Amino acid sequence: MTDFPQEIAERAGSLFTEQPSITRSQLIVRMWQNFFDMTEDELFTLYKEKSLVLGKQVTFAETGINYSGSAIDLTKNGQLVVKLDNGTEKILSGGEISLSSW
């Protein structure tokens, strides 16, 4: 689909270039089936592969100190592992990060 209303035409997109062979409902069902058919390890691997943060430069503050480094990994508990500019690693359990590069 390429014929979008003018107010969204510049930012809208479509999953299909031609008439899709399945309905939206069928697509959602297939996505959920894939989700439930995957093991926890497979889901975690996929989550890491699709991460928009891993491999990026990040900045964050902790106890009033600003840090900068590269987001390099996620722990099994979902904590972000950041390799700081000084070479040490920090594990973040929560909070806010800013992406320095996109």
Side-chain angles (χ1 to χ4, degrees):
M1 177 176 181
T2 57
D3 189 25
F4 297 103
Q6 185 175 359
E7 54 273 6
I8 65 167
E10 288 187 24
R11 60 183 175 270
S14 178
L15 293 175
F16 303 99
T17 56
E18 299 176 6
Q19 182 65 29
S21 60
I22 59 174
T23 66
R24 282 186 215 150
S25 296
Q26 290 169 325
L27 177 61
I28 291 168
V29 166
R30 288 188 188 174
M31 290 170 67
W32 276 108
Q33 284 173 335
N34 287 339
F35 177 79
F36 285 111
D37 288 344
M38 295 177 83
T39 66
E40 187 174 322
D41 286 340
E42 290 171 325
L43 284 171
F44 190 68
T45 299
L46 181 62
Y47 179 75
K48 286 172 59 170
E49 287 173 1
K50 302 298 181 186
S51 170
L52 297 176
V53 174
L54 293 180
K56 304 289 189 222
Q57 283 295 118
V58 298
T59 57
F60 62 95
E62 192 176 74
T63 61
I65 301 171
N66 293 323
Y67 295 94
S68 179
S70 180
I72 60 169
D73 202 2
L74 293 171
T75 69
K76 284 292 185 183
N77 294 326
Q79 299 162 305
L80 182 63
V81 181
V82 178
K83 184 170 188 174
L84 300 178
D85 291 340
N86 66 11
T88 62
E89 291 184 5
K90 266 202 168 295
I91 297 176
L92 306 179
S93 298
E96 183 176 322
I97 62 164
S98 296
L99 292 176
S100 305
S101 61
W102 186 243

